Structure formats: structure tokens, C-alpha cells
Amino acid sequence: MYNKIQETADFIKNHTSIRPRTAIVLGTGLGNLAENIEIQDTLAYKDIPNFPVSTVVGHKGQLLFGTLNGKEVMAMQGRFHFYEGYSMQELIFPIRIMKFLGIEYLLLSNASGGMNPEFEIGDLMIIKDHINLMGDNPLIGNNDDRLGPRFSDMSQPYDHKLIEEVKKIAEKNNIRFHTGTYAAVSGPTFETPAEYKYIRTLGADAVGMSTVPENIAARHMGIDVFAISVITDLGIEGKIVEISHEDVIEAAKKSEPKLTLIFSELVKKL
Ligand code: HPA
């Protein structure tokens, strides 16, 4: 694995002169945030050795290297999901690569279902903690001590300083936000009403199908993580309606400008 990571990281370094400290993962319906990146190099996942290939509609499948608000960044336009059939190790491969490229800060975004009764569609939720309900963990298997410890600390899964910075940015720009706990499920089914109730009871404010594997891999290697959810539908008793992937994409797109502003202001501070 270590050699594969090195091979892929070397390939990427040979294809871009950008040396970012910050990586951004663009979630479902949020890929257009990339329009604000002054892109210098684009690498399609299919052209990168050892890289998995994205299969979901609404996910582009390329790595972008450029500057956002004057800061060098890399961005994953399209992420890998457990429900696509990748192993956890495959889907966090890009996060391993990021470490080898010198990434210190990982900014994650996703679309999720809101279960906190105060939430409305289109709201943003800063993730302060998570619950892994995926039934798997990317660190299962042999541990390579060169990457991180066998037993990975998770006392601060989402960096407190980054959270405080984003709160300030949102307040300054009159962006409504919540702070809460994200539960990750495998998908690809959305939740039944009973499942929403169950996950809410566990202490989660929002539920989605991503972010947690990437967070675990990043923390394992000492990368600081910030993550934010766009609430695209509601898993609240009395407010549960039929939803589709298209509804999720559409709702996420509407909130994209808020997210873009937050990420571009945040990278300036890093
Ligand atoms: N559940 C799980 N994943 C999701 C949801 C949801 O309600 N909305 C967007 N992704």
C-alpha cells in the first residue's frame, strides 16, 4: 500500500507545480464550487495510477489543482462512496495521497438529511462530531505505522480552531448555520422514518453517506479536518417526504454559494 501511495503521489507531483496545504472534497451537488478555483491543472481520476473511478451521477471525477482566494489548493471534484462498492481502503486512497502531497488541512462537504427539528432544507451544519454507523472502518486490517498509529485517537475529529474560524465567517456574512453531529450510514437507501428516529435518538443531527471514512483516514495521519453539511431533506417526524438523488442535488446546489463563500474565506486564513 505504502509503495502504491508513493507512486501515485509522485505521478501527481510530476503533473502539477501546485504544492497545496489545503485539500477540499466537494460533495454531492457541490462540485461547482470549483468554478471559484483558478485552476492550473486538472487530473481525471481515470488517468491517475491506482486511483478508483467515480460512478455516481452528479460527481465529476477529477482532481483540481489551483488557487482559491489566492491560496494554493487541491480539490476532489467527486468523491468515492461506500455504497458504490469500493472497500473502505479504496475509498480513502485519495486521502492517503493528500498526506503525501503535503496536505495539512482537509475541508469536507456533503449533502445530508436533517433530523434536528430546528433544521430547514438549505441550512448549513458545521460538523463538530460524528457517529460511524457504516458498519466498517478504513483502518481495519494491517496497520502501517509509517501512516499512523494502530489505535487512532478520535478525541477531536473536527478541528476546533477551524470550526471557530468558520463560525466567525458565517456570522460576518449573515449565513444561517447550525453546529451538530453527523451520522454516517452506508446507503444507498435513504432512511425509513423509523431509521431517522433511531439515528436521531443516538444523538445525531444529520445523516449522510460519506465524510466519516475520509475523516478517519485524515485523523489517522494527523491532518486537521473541517466538515460541513448542506441539509437537503428532512428526517423529522411529520416532515418526511419522498426524496430522490435529484432532489438532493438540487437542494445542495441552492446552498452552494454559501458554502463557496465559507470555503474561500477559510482557505485565506490557513
Ligand atoms: N439520508 C442519507 N443520506 C443523505 C440524505 C439522507 O436523508 N440526504 C442526503 N444524503
Side-chain angles (χ1 to χ4, degrees):
M1 180 53 81
Y2 197 87
N3 292 342
K4 262 191 176 178
I5 300 169
Q6 206 140 41
E7 182 194 5
T8 304
D10 287 346
F11 174 90
I12 292 170
K13 279 188 201 156
N14 287 333
H15 283 80
T16 183
S17 60
I18 300 280
R19 295 288 177 263
R21 293 167 66 207
T22 303
I24 301 173
V25 176
L26 304 170
T28 301
L30 301 167
N32 291 334
L33 192 148
E35 278 163 20
N36 291 274
I37 300 174
E38 271 189 51
I39 298 167
Q40 183 176 307
D41 299 295
T42 302
L43 294 175
Y45 295 162
K46 65 175 170 45
D47 298 329
I48 305 173
N50 308 319
F51 235 67
V53 175
S54 178
T55 66
V56 198
V57 183
H59 293 254
K60 272 198 175 131
Q62 50 193 18
L63 281 189
L64 309 173
F65 290 85
T67 54
L68 177 60
N69 217 349
K71 277 286 176 94
E72 290 196 328
V73 294
M74 68 178 284
M76 280 185 76
Q77 198 172 26
R79 63 144 63 84
F80 303 103
H81 298 86
F82 195 42
Y83 60 73
E84 293 175 80
Y86 301 109
S87 70
M88 283 270 168
Q89 285 82 4
E90 283 172 322
L91 75 92
I92 57 98
F93 186 74
I95 312 297
R96 297 285 189 213
I97 302 303
M98 288 171 187
K99 179 70 182 180
F100 280 53
L101 295 177
I103 294 299
E104 295 169 39
Y105 302 105
L106 175 61
L107 315 185
L108 301 168
S109 59
N110 65 48
S112 70
M115 296 169 302
N116 183 317
E118 287 174 18
F119 289 9
E120 290 169 17
I121 291 175
D123 281 356
L124 299 180
M125 184 188 90
I126 296 171
I127 301 178
K128 69 168 163 40
D129 205 342
H130 74 226
I131 303 173
N132 180 10
L133 299 176
M134 286 185 148
D136 203 346
N137 187 305
L139 305 184
I140 290 176
N142 280 338
N143 186 67
D144 189 328
D145 294 335
R146 290 170 293 183
L147 299 175
R150 168 74 288 185
F151 300 101
S152 192
D153 174 71
M154 288 296 272
S155 59
Q156 198 180 142
Y158 301 89
D159 187 75
H160 295 170
K161 288 192 301 297
L162 298 180
I163 290 174
E164 287 314 308
E165 283 298 342
V166 170
K167 282 184 179 173
K168 275 190 241 161
I169 293 165
E171 276 157 14
K172 206 171 109 193
N173 291 282
N174 288 319
I175 295 173
R176 177 182 151 97
F177 70 92
H178 309 278
T179 307
T181 297
Y182 174 88
V185 293
S186 70
T189 41
F190 290 114
E191 286 62 42
T192 65
E195 285 165 346
Y196 280 126
K197 197 170 170 184
Y198 161 73
I199 298 165
R200 173 69 180 150
T201 306
L202 294 176
D205 299 287
V207 57
M209 306 174 193
S210 68
T211 301
V212 164
E214 290 109 319
N215 174 281
I216 291 172
R219 293 306 302 132
H220 184 232
M221 299 181 294
I223 297 174
D224 288 338
V225 181
F226 173 80
I228 190 160
S229 275
V230 177
I231 305 299
T232 55
D233 53 276
L234 298 175
I236 300 167
E237 210 171 341
K239 292 187 180 171
I240 298 172
V241 294
E242 192 177 330
I243 50 163
S244 67
H245 185 57
E246 288 67 35
D247 297 332
V248 167
I249 293 173
E250 199 185 312
K253 282 212 179 307
K254 283 195 191 136
S255 291
E256 211 170 26
K258 293 188 279 189
L259 203 84
T260 303
L261 191 148
I262 286 175
F263 276 8
S264 49
E265 289 297 312
L266 180 59
V267 296
K268 209 165 70 181
K269 302 237 156 74
L270 300 178

